[in-house]
Amino acid sequence: MASDPSDQEASLCVLTNEEFQSICNWSITGQVTAIQRTVESILASSNSQIGPATFCPDPLSQKSSPLVLAAQYGKKEVVEYFLDNFWSVIDIDHTATIVSLTTQKKVHCATALWAASTGGYLEIVERLVRHGAQVNKATLTQSTPLRGASFHGHLEVMKYLLSNGADINTPNCIGQSPLCIAAMRGQLKAVMFLIDNGADREQKTINGYSVIHLSATKGRSNIVKYLLSIGASPQFQPSDPNNSDYIPCPLFLAASTGQRKMVEELINHPDCPAICRADALLLLGSTRCEISTRGLTMSSRDLWAKALELREQENIQVEFLPPIDSYGDRVEIKNLEVFNKLSAEGNFNQYEALFQSLIIRERCMGYGDQGLVYFLIKRGMHFCNIMKYSECELLWFRAMDMEIRVCELEIGHARYGHSEGLQRDLEKDLSQYAYGIWHMVHDKYRPNFHRYVEFGFKELEILSCLRDKSDNAIFIDIQNIIGILLYIMTSWLYYDTDVSAEILPEDAFCSAECYELGTKFVAKCLRFSKETSLLHYALTDFVIVEDDKLVPVSEKYMNLTPLITALLHWGAFEVIDEPNSSGLRPIHVAVETANKRAEELQEVVSPLASAGAHIDAVDSTGCTVYTLCSNDVVSVVLYSSGPLPLTCQCSNTIVRERLPYETIGLPPHMVKIVRLHDRHCV
């Protein structure tokens, strides 16, 4: 006789995904009654009780949390409901992943206190602290609740946190303290409050920027004026491009981001040296030139002329950059006479001035400046679009070298945590290069494929470092990088077979250089994911990012047979019959892809069949490709392989009769073949 359920110990309540999501949505909208009824109904029907994991999921799951969401959206009644009824089992400092209402980016490991502080909800902040919330508990990027409150200048929240033990100087992972973020955001009252309460005015970010640097970059004139009024130094400093420790002064940062008003105020400062005034005008003109689609504008020309005139009037001696091959060994214009002569020529305004802008920016901002990287890539794309491919590639190669340097410096910092932002930047830049390569190849120009592929490999190394530093707190996805590399390799194969086929050795399907890099690619990335292999992914009509849109690769290259053939030659044959996490072997994935996009991709089955993929191998449901195929053209390919070999027929019989083939003394190679026909082995 079964025991009375009431006599049994109640189990812990675990919500279904649907139940959990409903409670999260109600927490956002403040529907406390709906939450209460749902929780009571679940407890009554399941004879369970609320436990620590009921409302507080593991932050590694990338889920939000009802309590954190209610705090983020200022729903005081919902916060009170959870704290009043479940405070004994809810970890008040549990963390969740939420989306910032300001930046629309994910915030990992956010506590309810951080969310409420960032939103400025004082009553919720007070309630959470009274229940024991840690005032210095930071997010994954090391942002504390005080820093969150400083972001929007929520003074009352800032005062309360400080009075309850918040550390006023704790920086985030890139060294931005609460004072830094308040200054960048233009929150003057918050800046004044923090300084009055002892904030460190000399604190610097990981790249050496001070509060006044950050304020000038964003054009926060009111903040800069206040800082100067209380004795902060404007930190004027001439450019020093040959010094590896060089940090551009606040004036140059303002000019590099086009903050004209800020530039005018700083160059009128009595302590501003003439050399800095001249370079700031040059840099401001360069910024305007770089963001223009028309080359050198009248505004840029006037600023450059004024700067060169000032340089001559003051007899300013400048340390110029040496000729750099990425800029075609060009040098910076040194005097007004030469500038006036060149600027009268149309070619200068539309073409040469673009190089001058980059040279000036590198001299004033230093090698590796992130703005310089951005404009090198942008200007390279401009040259690509007007079919000046050599110039394009030279700029891109310099951008690659700088970007790697910047990434290594950032992830080398002990507290670095901006993994997703760096990942997005790497993906975006590599996708722009891939897009340019496609244009070059279809215009019969041979890109330096080797450089792009090696840069992709370096990106994978950087992402691997990020994965290690994140301590698995967030998921680092390399799939997009893999897809872009596959796209670049497809372009390379297309060039070798279509454009330069006549110079390839007999029977070669690609150049020796392509083969070498392809083999390296497969060796590095064959099993890049626990869920799938490189060969599986290449067969899925994978997507690439183009102009911030996801584009199936078949829209760029309709025939992927050369890529699949090449991957098998480069070493992917190793997984030709290996199932992915869904129990599909490459041949199954190929048939599924061909079924969906028959006209473009029906041929992807052929190289697998030709390479010896087991046509009658089963997936995890016991299906072969014969069962899955719904495409007549692909069916012809499958059935043209002829009758099943005797070994396959025997294997099917063994599996069908459920014979213990692994224990009856079959040769190892035969056991391996039988397993390909047994769905229980997938």
Side-chain angles (χ1 to χ4, degrees), residues 438-451:
W438 185 85
H439 278 280
M440 295 176 195
V441 166
H442 283 75
D443 205 28
K444 311 303 182 184
Y445 175 89
R446 188 187 188 282
N448 190 330
F449 293 107
H450 190 281
R451 287 292 300 269

Side-chain angles (χ1 to χ4, degrees), residues 439-657:
H439 278 280
M440 295 176 195
V441 166
H442 283 75
D443 205 28
K444 311 303 182 184
Y445 175 89
R446 188 187 188 282
N448 190 330
F449 293 107
H450 190 281
R451 287 292 300 269
Y452 299 106
V453 175
E454 289 287 4
F455 178 68
F457 291 166
K458 192 64 182 180
E459 286 193 353
L460 292 175
E461 291 178 18
I462 291 169
L463 292 179
S464 177
C465 291
L466 288 178
R467 183 186 292 133
D468 294 340
K469 288 187 75 71
S470 69
D471 195 25
N472 295 319
I474 65 171
F475 177 62
I476 300 295
D477 186 5
I478 65 171
Q479 182 167 288
N480 287 343
I481 301 291
I482 294 293
I484 299 168
L485 278 169
L486 284 170
Y487 179 36
I488 293 173
M489 297 306 298
T490 303
S491 298
W492 197 346
L493 291 165
Y494 177 87
Y495 184 91
D496 281 354
T497 57
D498 185 69
V499 180
S500 61
E502 68 279 359
I503 63 174
L504 291 179
E506 187 176 355
D507 297 329
F509 64 93
C510 66
S511 63
E513 186 184 33
C514 181
Y515 188 92
E516 178 187 354
L517 265 290
T519 304
K520 185 177 179 181
F521 179 35
V522 172
K524 280 177 171 287
C525 305
L526 183 58
R527 292 183 176 85
F528 72 92
S529 165
K530 294 180 181 178
E531 287 74 34
T532 191
S533 75
L534 186 64
L535 182 59
H536 285 88
Y537 186 51
L539 288 162
T540 60
D541 192 17
F542 55 92
V543 295
I544 53 176
V545 180
E546 192 171 283
D547 294 332
D548 295 326
K549 297 178 182 177
L550 296 177
V551 179
V553 72
S554 61
E555 291 187 11
K556 309 299 289 186
Y557 291 101
M558 295 179 65
N559 183 8
L560 291 182
T561 302
L563 175 63
I564 305 306
T565 302
L567 287 173
L568 292 170
H569 278 86
W570 294 337
F573 183 83
E574 181 181 332
V575 298
I576 195 168
D577 287 319
E578 187 174 292
N580 61 13
S581 61
S582 299
L584 299 175
R585 306 182 197 277
I587 193 74
H588 296 101
V589 176
V591 169
E592 282 194 349
T593 301
N595 286 341
K596 294 174 184 176
R597 304 180 65 87
E599 293 182 4
E600 297 95 339
L601 297 171
Q602 57 197 13
E603 292 298 323
V604 295
V605 176
S606 298
L608 294 172
S610 300
H614 261 80
I615 303 297
D616 67 326
V618 297
D619 63 13
S620 57
T621 66
C623 291
T624 66
V625 289
Y626 295 108
T627 306
L628 296 174
C629 185
S630 61
N631 181 288
D632 291 339
V633 175
V634 177
S635 294
V636 171
V637 175
L638 296 176
Y639 285 100
S640 65
S641 60
L644 292 178
L646 181 60
T647 52
C648 291
Q649 296 185 47
C650 292
S651 298
N652 285 323
T653 301
I654 290 171
V655 171
R656 186 171 58 252
E657 298 298 326

Side-chain angles (χ1 to χ4, degrees), residues 62 105-106 108 140 403 407 410-411 416-431 455-456 458-460 462-467 470 474-482 484 545:
Q62 299 293 297
K105 295 178 180 178
K106 287 182 179 179
H108 298 286
L140 179 66
E403 189 165 22
C407 289
E410 289 185 351
I411 63 178
Y416 194 79
H418 278 287
S419 303
E420 288 181 332
L422 198 57
Q423 179 182 330
R424 284 192 301 268
D425 290 342
L426 292 172
E427 290 175 2
K428 182 178 180 180
D429 293 345
L430 187 60
S431 69
F455 178 68
K458 192 64 182 180
E459 286 193 353
L460 292 175
I462 291 169
L463 292 179
S464 177
C465 291
L466 288 178
R467 183 186 292 133
S470 69
I474 65 171
F475 177 62
I476 300 295
D477 186 5
I478 65 171
Q479 182 167 288
N480 287 343
I481 301 291
I482 294 293
I484 299 168
V545 180

Side-chain angles (χ1 to χ4, degrees), residues 7 10 15 85 99 195 314 318 357 435 459 502 513 536 583 586 623 634:
D7 295 332
L15 303 177
N85 292 279
V99 177
I195 289 177
E314 299 289 337
V318 178
S357 293
Y435 177 71
E459 286 193 353
E502 68 279 359
E513 186 184 33
H536 285 88
C623 291
V634 177

Side-chain angles (χ1 to χ4, degrees), residues 105-152:
K105 295 178 180 178
K106 287 182 179 179
V107 179
H108 298 286
C109 301
T111 63
L113 181 59
W114 185 91
S117 300
T118 304
Y121 302 116
L122 180 60
E123 291 184 65
I124 296 177
V125 168
E126 292 172 340
R127 190 71 180 266
L128 291 167
V129 172
R130 285 200 298 269
H131 274 79
Q134 297 179 48
V135 294
N136 290 310
K137 178 85 170 178
T139 65
L140 179 66
T141 59
Q142 305 302 316
S143 177
T144 61
L146 178 60
R147 187 181 180 279
S150 301
F151 190 90
H152 292 291

